[in-house]
Amino acid sequence: MTRPSVETRRACGAARARVRFRIRDVLERQHLTMTALAEQIGVCNQAVSNTVNGRLHSPKVLQALRDVGVPEKYLFDPAKVCAKGPDATEGKVA
């Protein structure tokens, strides 16, 4: 599998930052805070916060977000976008 380019990672981060409140809404509906999620998966709360805000692309955090029900369309995972092609981050989010 090819590694995502810097441009792809940057575009994914910016796209995830735009939907960060939707991600947080899903966490709230699951009665979870970012800190609680961090404790569950054994990472620091900054790792979760930075991933949700698009500054980091932690595979562990992204998988945990999937596991609690965050839709894939909000995650903008560079590893998945890289497999789909460079235009995958250009779609609109509902």
Side-chain angles (χ1 to χ4, degrees), residues 11-93:
C12 286
R16 193 177 322 119
R18 285 192 298 272
V19 297
R20 68 188 179 275
F21 294 110
R22 292 176 190 234
I23 295 171
R24 290 174 63 185
D25 284 343
V26 173
L27 290 174
E28 284 179 20
R29 279 187 252 124
Q30 298 296 328
H31 304 288
L32 277 173
T33 63
M34 288 191 280
T35 301
L37 182 65
E39 289 174 6
Q40 280 184 5
I41 63 173
V43 299
C44 64
N45 61 335
Q46 291 90 348
V48 174
S49 177
N50 286 337
T51 299
V52 168
N53 289 311
R55 291 186 296 270
L56 186 66
H57 304 290
S58 167
K60 189 173 188 175
V61 173
L62 289 169
Q63 186 57 52
L65 291 169
R66 281 184 193 95
D67 292 345
V68 298
V70 175
E72 192 68 39
K73 68 181 180 179
Y74 297 152
L75 296 180
F76 296 97
D77 185 349
K80 302 234 181 217
V81 169
C82 188
K84 291 180 183 177
D87 296 331
T89 57
E90 292 179 14
K92 297 209 182 235
V93 176

